[in-house]
Amino acid sequence: MYAQGLDQTPANHVALSPISFIERAALVFPEKLAIVHGELRQNWLQTFSRCRRLASALQAKGIAVGDTVAVMLPNTPPMVEAHFGVPMAGAVLNSLNTRLDAASIAFMLNHGEAKLVIVDSEFAAVMGQALEILQKSHGRTPIVIEAQDEPFVAPTGISRETYEDLIASGDPEFEVVLPEDEWQSICLNYTSGTTGDPKGVVYSHRGAATNAISNILEWDMARHPVYLWTLPMFHCNGWCFPWTVAARAGVNVCLRKVDAQTIFDLIRRHGVTHYCAAPIVHSLLINAPQEMKADVPAGVKAMVAGAAPPAAMIEGMESLGFELTHVYGLTEVYGPAAVCVKHDEWESLDISERARLNSRQGVRYHLQADVRVLDPETMQPVPWDGETMGEIMFRGNIAMKGYLKNPTATEAAFAGGWFHSGDLAVQYPDGYVKIKDRSKDIIISGGENISSIEVEDVLYRHPAVLAAAVVAMPDPKWGETPCAFIELKPNAKVTEQDIVDFSKQHLAHFKVPRAVIFGEVPKTSTGKIQKFELRKQAGSVKAIDS
Amino acid sequence: MYAQGLDQTPANHVALSPISFIERAALVFPEKLAIVHGELRQNWLQTFSRCRRLASALQAKGIAVGDTVAVMLPNTPPMVEAHFGVPMAGAVLNSLNTRLDAASIAFMLNHGEAKLVIVDSEFAAVMGQALEILQKSHGRTPIVIEAQDEPFVAPTGISRETYEDLIASGDPEFEVVLPEDEWQSICLNYTSGTTGDPKGVVYSHRGAATNAISNILEWDMARHPVYLWTLPMFHCNGWCFPWTVAARAGVNVCLRKVDAQTIFDLIRRHGVTHYCAAPIVHSLLINAPQEMKADVPAGVKAMVAGAAPPAAMIEGMESLGFELTHVYGLTEVYGPAAVCVKHDEWESLDISERARLNSRQGVRYHLQADVRVLDPETMQPVPWDGETMGEIMFRGNIAMKGYLKNPTATEAAFAGGWFHSGDLAVQYPDGYVKIKDRSKDIIISGGENISSIEVEDVLYRHPAVLAAAVVAMPDPKWGETPCAFIELKPNAKVTEQDIVDFSKQHLAHFKVPRAVIFGEVPKTSTGKIQKFELRKQAGSVKAIDS
């Protein structure tokens, strides 16, 4: 009975797409501030109009549905606009990490077949080298557009056409057409590729819209938030927040470079209400001099991902008056797709217990179908006992379409109908998942598994430790043993033996680091510690007597 | 390049469905209160478990995917549960208006082919008659389940199985399966059918989820709202709020019967934060005795639809300390699908200007693709001049699948790729639409169109008027002229001539009512004035000399 005469028509079925968010912001709140950058103030009508110009100008350059447009931009207005203008032209936005080397960029531009590249002048030199490799090795010569922005305004010669020229050539009345199919690709994001070539993660309009709305729900984000761009937009499209901010007709407070003084100034000046960042940025704010923090408004909401926030960070944020939400995800799930939802009852607990509860990766994001710890062999859920290890798996609309031109990796990632995160975890009786380790980071010592995260958690409790990372080092007797890399707080003085002694108080003997190396810990542009670098170093480290 | 190897799989594509909202509420907030009814307190885990029992019990009774389950229930816990338990069984929920007569019920049960009926004891008598007609005229005998609730607990004999028996027979661990296809039907709602037979409006899981989320966005609704059920859930599924409240893990404060004292008591007792209602309910609260309103918490958010809120209502709500949002929709668009978004700048305007701006039907709901005023002949948009009339049309995921077994009506409703609302309106320069009249309510006098709403707006400004409705009355000279039906406030004394004189001060002469009838104005169960009844009466009214 319900199978007939009730079909999808253009009247009752329209593709889900974040493009519709900016359309509505411009219609309903045309005069509301959309972008702040230095002295620039741009409202939603202006921003929408510039995005339409961008889309029409791209089409005029021959960019068609399914073409890739690559951008190498900091968190500046062109980056916000690219998140709408590129998909409005039907194209796929490939945001490149601004810290990449020329060879990596060339690899991505070739693999993603970028037809056009928009590059900030700051990165013109490295992009120039990449384009040379691209031309020589692959015979590709994409159109190049240069985005100029203070203080990088001197011509670099990489292109004769600037981003503003491109915008000026576009039609502000360009007719926006949503994709016919919401499964259409919207973004291409390369994973950091710590092993092998980077993989190109492809997002759909449906998924992008779904995660952008989930961000609102997770944060109870009311209309007109003032969002500070501490998190790079090249990183999982800034966790889909360019679209979230448009859906809420909020303000994008741009930020070229992460710097504590600038961040506190912007928070005060624009009344920032929300920001996201890797742990390192939160630590930077917490450890900033007291005078920098004066008069910072209370109640700023912060999201952290990349590593569980240690107790010191939770306390630090509390003393700043900021509210911290711990989320978890990967490039393959559009950034965060799980959240450690806090409960009122937790507030009365002591800080160590609060930190323990908050350190968990939590439950599925609002509009994600499921996140669970499954046995990767049997695909059966592990018991919710907080002890049995398995792998975190996701399922739902907040999971990538797949890896570009890599059906083998895509099939492996989706084996058994779940996305395999590669993170080893347990699930607690309350359904919250907690990462024990990346499967490749686990240390196997004398047949026993050692969670590098468990050891790191202990090290972070030491008052002198700013950052800590533990990896496996080869051991003739045990196969592997833990090796700790530690970055100390300014002026802190600790010996290797102090760290070992401290660890022994909190860890089983076989989990205690057998070597401690002090120095700056290498991090990715998104603040993630580069364990693969450390593993290389650990290969030649000598264990201490214990 | 993007066309290959990036397909939908069970890992990255899951049907949108409001069922997922209650799953998450039960997982993340199992102990949070879900339902309050009299002395009953039920948390989300219990509620989810009862819904699973209901689904499994329905399946045990032979209810399968695509079967219709009809309910005739007030805003009690079984009604909340039916909104999840019925679709969890794959079935379609047909909520019947509790004020219907036996013949209408029989028509709907036959047309919708209901296999099972859940009826509250209060309506057992009329349902008994309906079932008799159904059996005699159509040979149908659905399974009947009786829901008992204070004060209707005496056995009526309509069924030997109560709702609680049914729940007890079900499996609390029933495995919830989302629909394979989000286009699957979830609800069937009959229009009031002022002309001809009622039409069966069919909703999809996708549309229900989309409108439920839009409700959150429109209201900036934070987690754990306390929602009072003043609006009947049988009316467009309570504008999709049963699903909205689950998505926010809020509290459903049930309400068997609208009554000012009870409403104020519940608001105080449970800290109600949100409610929706027809204008008549808001008026009831505003006009309640002062002592009833004592200590009502400030900031309660109220939604009104069905007619534009007149200035008196806006002022009345302000004096109560309530925040009023004006929304607009029809059964065919899942309840509200447009909203008169308020702007900060409006707050400084005087009340009449605020009322004028707020009386507009506004802009598209967050996740609706579009609402526009189009010329129904050419399907071209009218100029945004606030003057040119056209018809309000909707397009997007918040539009019905169609009318059940009525492809002709469905095609007409969706002609040209838009849903035709039947409401005549203008569009203002700011994009806001404003209804001038239902196409069938317009009064054509000497070739001039008179908007019945414009005349009513004037009548509402008269201090003695509680409710007003204007319809066409036949006129030998002009064809039609306006006839006013007026319900006065208690103890108010006004003559027909007073009303006419007052109208002349505010209206062009030809728009002034030529007859005024005092008395109670007939309303539907949802508070809508029944103009078709008034038109019948107006046929025999004698015009006054003017």
Side-chain angles (χ1 to χ4, degrees):
Chain A
M1 175 170 70
Y2 291 100
Q4 277 158 10
L6 299 169
D7 298 327
Q8 294 177 4
T9 72
N12 63 12
H13 192 277
V14 172
L16 296 173
S17 167
I19 294 174
S20 69
F21 302 163
I22 191 171
E23 278 188 308
R24 189 176 191 274
L27 171 72
V28 183
F29 302 108
E31 307 288 341
K32 279 274 179 193
L33 199 55
I35 298 183
V36 166
H37 182 52
E39 296 313 309
L40 174 84
R41 301 291 177 274
Q42 198 172 289
N43 69 30
W44 278 107
L45 185 60
Q46 292 163 334
T47 303
F48 182 47
S49 160
R50 285 174 59 89
C51 293
R52 291 164 89 176
R53 284 176 178 272
L54 174 57
S56 80
L58 290 173
Q59 288 195 347
K61 297 254 177 226
I63 300 299
V65 174
D67 284 344
T68 303
V69 171
V71 299
M72 191 166 187
L73 297 165
N75 283 347
T76 51
M79 187 60 153
V80 177
E81 291 166 2
H83 276 81
F84 298 94
V86 173
M88 274 183 200
V92 180
L93 177 69
N94 174 213
S95 306
L96 300 168
N97 187 321
T98 56
R99 302 217 185 156
L100 289 175
D101 59 295
S104 300
I105 298 168
F107 171 87
M108 292 170 190
L109 294 179
N110 179 55
H111 186 266
E113 301 179 24
K115 290 239 170 70
L116 188 143
V117 175
I118 304 174
V119 60
D120 186 276
S121 302
E122 185 179 359
F123 313 114
V126 68
M127 179 58 77
Q129 294 164 30
L131 291 169
E132 221 174 282
I133 301 171
L134 189 68
Q135 207 272 317
K136 281 190 191 147
S137 306
H138 308 287
R140 290 189 191 272
T141 52
I143 302 165
V144 179
I145 305 289
E146 180 170 12
Q148 296 182 319
D149 178 53
E150 290 285 348
F152 301 93
V153 289
T156 64
I158 197 167
S159 167
R160 270 182 301 186
E161 193 164 3
T162 68
Y163 181 75
E164 288 305 321
D165 294 337
L166 188 72
I167 295 291
S169 75
D171 175 6
E173 298 298 317
F174 171 78
E175 193 173 343
V176 178
V177 182
L178 295 185
E180 291 242 332
D181 181 347
E182 64 201 32
W183 196 248
Q184 187 173 308
S185 302
I186 190 170
C187 290
L188 169 65
N189 292 312
Y190 284 91
T191 58
S192 44
T194 51
T195 53
D197 282 334
K199 293 198 283 280
V201 174
V202 182
Y203 292 174
S204 70
H205 282 253
R206 174 183 171 99
T210 304
N211 204 30
I213 297 292
S214 290
N215 282 334
I216 297 174
L217 299 176
E218 279 318 324
W219 241 345
D220 287 351
M221 191 192 250
R223 242 164 284 213
H224 312 314
V226 181
Y227 184 87
L228 178 63
W229 273 110
T230 30
L231 182 78
M233 271 182 256
F234 66 69
H235 186 53
C236 313
N237 302 104
W239 302 352
C240 299
F241 273 96
W243 305 311
T244 297
V245 176
R248 296 274 69 186
V251 183
N252 291 280
V253 179
C254 289
L255 181 68
R256 225 190 140 80
K257 192 166 172 297
V258 165
D259 164 81
Q261 180 73 59
T262 312
I263 290 173
F264 283 117
D265 286 347
L266 290 172
I267 290 176
R268 275 184 293 255
R269 181 165 176 203
H270 303 294
V272 167
T273 57
H274 295 79
Y275 75 93
C276 300
I280 189 75
V281 176
H282 298 295
S283 295
L284 184 75
L285 300 186
I286 291 165
N287 295 316
Q290 205 51 46
E291 59 274 21
M292 239 187 230
K293 305 174 187 168
D295 301 321
V296 163
V300 174
K301 292 186 172 191
M303 241 184 220
V304 62
M313 183 178 296
I314 292 172
E315 281 185 307
M317 294 298 278
E318 283 174 0
S319 73
L320 265 174
F322 289 6
E323 289 173 30
L324 189 66
T325 301
H326 175 209
V327 295
Y328 159 71
L330 304 88
T331 303
E332 287 86 343
V333 290
Y334 294 76
V339 51
C340 186
V341 176
K342 285 186 276 194
H343 290 263
D344 300 343
E345 311 86 78
W346 295 4
E347 280 169 31
S348 57
L349 303 173
D350 67 31
I351 179 68
S352 68
E353 182 62 6
R354 276 210 316 282
R356 189 186 68 77
L357 292 167
N358 255 313
S359 72
R360 300 179 304 168
Q361 280 61 37
V363 295
R364 65 187 175 104
Y365 231 45
H366 247 94
L367 301 178
Q368 179 69 312
D370 217 340
V371 55
R372 283 202 204 179
V373 178
L374 304 181
D375 179 325
E377 299 295 320
T378 64
M379 294 304 282
Q380 291 303 304
V382 301
W384 290 11
D385 56 10
E387 289 187 2
T388 312
M389 293 255 269
E391 185 177 352
I392 296 186
M393 309 252 187
F394 288 95
R395 203 172 53 81
N397 299 308
I398 312 179
M400 65 172 178
K401 293 177 68 172
Y403 298 115
L404 186 67
K405 300 180 188 170
N406 199 341
T408 313
T410 302
E411 268 170 45
F414 289 152
W418 293 78
F419 169 69
H420 298 237
S421 72
D423 285 325
L424 301 182
V426 298
Q427 198 153 4
Y428 281 88
D430 61 359
Y432 281 49
V433 307
K434 159 86 176 162
I435 292 186
K436 289 296 180 179
D437 224 331
R438 292 289 300 170
S439 38
K440 62 177 181 292
D441 291 343
I442 205 98
I443 301 158
I444 304 171
S445 190
E448 296 270 12
N449 285 348
I450 302 174
S451 156
S452 64
I453 291 179
E454 185 187 354
V455 183
E456 288 158 10
D457 276 352
V458 167
L459 297 176
Y460 268 110
R461 281 193 242 162
H462 192 290
V465 171
L466 181 69
V470 173
V471 299
M473 61 188 270
D475 185 279
K477 184 169 171 191
W478 304 109
E480 295 176 352
T481 53
C483 173
F485 290 80
I486 287 177
E487 193 171 325
L488 293 174
K489 290 186 184 159
N491 305 320
K493 284 201 173 47
V494 195
T495 66
E496 188 170 15
Q497 194 61 48
D498 291 340
I499 296 292
V500 169
D501 291 345
F502 180 81
S503 301
K504 280 185 182 163
Q505 289 171 37
H506 299 94
L507 287 169
H509 194 272
F510 74 101
K511 295 180 181 175
V512 170
R514 301 258 292 166
V516 181
I517 293 106
F518 296 104
E520 199 185 335
V521 179
K523 298 177 201 76
T524 67
S525 52
T526 57
K528 239 185 225 173
I529 291 174
Q530 294 178 303
K531 287 207 172 172
F532 62 101
E533 285 293 345
L534 299 177
R535 260 190 289 271
K536 281 188 221 160
Q537 292 181 44
S540 54
V541 165
K542 196 184 160 302
I544 58 168
D545 245 17
S546 61
Chain B
M1 174 171 69
Y2 291 99
Q4 276 157 11
L6 299 168
D7 299 327
Q8 295 177 2
T9 72
N12 64 12
H13 191 277
V14 171
L16 295 173
S17 166
I19 293 173
S20 68
F21 302 162
I22 191 171
E23 278 188 307
R24 190 176 191 275
L27 171 71
V28 183
F29 301 108
E31 306 287 341
K32 278 275 178 191
L33 199 55
I35 298 183
V36 166
H37 182 52
E39 297 312 309
L40 176 83
R41 301 290 178 273
Q42 199 172 289
N43 68 30
W44 277 108
L45 184 60
Q46 292 164 333
T47 303
F48 182 48
S49 162
R50 284 174 58 89
C51 293
R52 291 164 90 175
R53 284 176 179 273
L54 174 56
S56 82
L58 290 173
Q59 288 194 345
K61 297 258 178 222
I63 301 299
V65 174
D67 284 345
T68 304
V69 171
V71 299
M72 191 168 187
L73 296 165
N75 283 347
T76 51
M79 188 59 153
V80 177
E81 292 166 1
H83 276 80
F84 298 94
V86 172
M88 272 184 204
V92 179
L93 178 68
N94 173 215
S95 305
L96 300 167
N97 187 323
T98 56
R99 302 216 185 157
L100 290 175
D101 59 297
S104 299
I105 299 168
F107 171 87
M108 292 170 190
L109 294 179
N110 179 54
H111 185 266
E113 303 180 24
K115 290 239 168 68
L116 187 144
V117 174
I118 305 174
V119 59
D120 185 276
S121 302
E122 184 179 356
F123 313 115
V126 67
M127 180 57 79
Q129 295 163 30
L131 291 169
E132 222 173 282
I133 301 171
L134 189 68
Q135 206 273 316
K136 279 191 190 145
S137 306
H138 308 287
R140 289 187 191 275
T141 52
I143 301 165
V144 179
I145 305 290
E146 181 170 13
Q148 296 183 319
D149 178 54
E150 290 285 350
F152 302 93
V153 289
T156 65
I158 196 167
S159 167
R160 269 183 302 184
E161 193 164 6
T162 67
Y163 180 74
E164 289 304 323
D165 294 338
L166 188 72
I167 294 291
S169 75
D171 175 6
E173 298 297 318
F174 170 80
E175 193 174 342
V176 178
V177 183
L178 295 185
E180 292 243 331
D181 181 348
E182 64 199 34
W183 195 248
Q184 187 174 307
S185 302
I186 189 170
C187 288
L188 169 65
N189 291 313
Y190 283 92
T191 59
S192 44
T194 52
T195 51
D197 281 335
K199 291 198 282 282
V201 174
V202 181
Y203 293 173
S204 70
H205 281 253
R206 175 183 171 99
T210 304
N211 204 30
I213 297 293
S214 291
N215 283 334
I216 296 174
L217 298 176
E218 279 319 322
W219 242 344
D220 287 351
M221 191 190 248
R223 245 163 282 214
H224 312 315
V226 182
Y227 185 87
L228 178 63
W229 273 109
T230 30
L231 182 79
M233 270 181 259
F234 65 71
H235 184 57
C236 312
N237 301 105
W239 301 353
C240 299
F241 272 95
W243 304 311
T244 297
V245 176
R248 296 275 67 186
V251 184
N252 291 280
V253 180
C254 290
L255 181 69
R256 226 194 137 78
K257 192 168 173 293
V258 165
D259 165 80
Q261 181 73 59
T262 312
I263 290 173
F264 283 117
D265 286 348
L266 290 172
I267 290 176
R268 276 185 293 257
R269 183 165 175 203
H270 302 295
V272 167
T273 56
H274 296 79
Y275 74 93
C276 300
I280 190 76
V281 176
H282 297 294
S283 296
L284 184 76
L285 300 186
I286 291 166
N287 295 316
Q290 206 51 46
E291 60 273 20
M292 239 186 230
K293 305 174 189 170
D295 300 322
V296 163
V300 174
K301 291 186 174 191
M303 241 183 218
V304 63
M313 183 177 297
I314 291 171
E315 281 186 307
M317 294 299 277
E318 283 174 1
S319 73
L320 265 173
F322 288 6
E323 289 173 29
L324 189 66
T325 300
H326 175 210
V327 294
Y328 159 70
L330 303 88
T331 303
E332 285 86 343
V333 289
Y334 294 76
V339 52
C340 186
V341 176
K342 286 185 275 195
H343 290 262
D344 300 342
E345 312 86 78
W346 296 3
E347 280 169 32
S348 58
L349 303 173
D350 68 30
I351 178 69
S352 68
E353 183 60 7
R354 274 207 322 280
R356 188 185 70 75
L357 292 168
N358 254 313
S359 72
R360 301 179 303 168
Q361 280 61 39
V363 294
R364 66 187 175 101
Y365 231 43
H366 247 92
L367 301 178
Q368 180 69 311
D370 216 340
V371 54
R372 284 205 203 175
V373 178
L374 303 181
D375 179 324
E377 300 295 319
T378 64
M379 295 303 281
Q380 290 304 304
V382 301
W384 290 13
D385 57 9
E387 289 187 2
T388 312
M389 292 257 269
E391 185 176 353
I392 297 185
M393 311 253 184
F394 287 96
R395 202 171 55 80
N397 298 309
I398 312 178
M400 65 172 178
K401 293 178 68 171
Y403 297 116
L404 186 66
K405 299 179 188 170
N406 199 340
T408 313
T410 302
E411 270 170 46
F414 289 151
W418 292 79
F419 169 68
H420 298 238
S421 73
D423 286 325
L424 301 182
V426 297
Q427 199 153 1
Y428 282 87
D430 61 358
Y432 280 50
V433 307
K434 160 86 175 162
I435 291 186
K436 289 298 179 178
D437 224 332
R438 289 291 300 170
S439 38
K440 62 179 182 289
D441 291 342
I442 205 98
I443 301 159
I444 303 171
S445 189
E448 296 270 11
N449 285 348
I450 302 174
S451 155
S452 64
I453 291 178
E454 185 188 353
V455 184
E456 288 159 9
D457 276 351
V458 168
L459 297 175
Y460 268 110
R461 284 193 238 161
H462 192 288
V465 170
L466 182 68
V470 173
V471 299
M473 60 187 275
D475 184 279
K477 184 168 172 196
W478 304 108
E480 295 178 351
T481 54
C483 172
F485 290 81
I486 286 177
E487 194 171 325
L488 294 173
K489 290 185 183 160
N491 307 320
K493 284 204 170 47
V494 194
T495 66
E496 189 169 15
Q497 194 59 48
D498 292 339
I499 295 292
V500 169
D501 292 344
F502 180 81
S503 301
K504 281 186 183 162
Q505 290 171 36
H506 298 94
L507 287 169
H509 193 270
F510 75 99
K511 295 180 178 175
V512 170
R514 302 261 292 167
V516 181
I517 292 107
F518 295 105
E520 199 185 335
V521 178
K523 297 176 203 75
T524 66
S525 52
T526 57
K528 238 186 228 176
I529 291 173
Q530 294 178 305
K531 286 207 172 171
F532 62 100
E533 285 293 344
L534 298 178
R535 262 190 287 271
K536 282 188 218 159
Q537 291 182 44
S540 54
V541 165
K542 196 183 161 299
I544 58 168
D545 247 16
S546 62

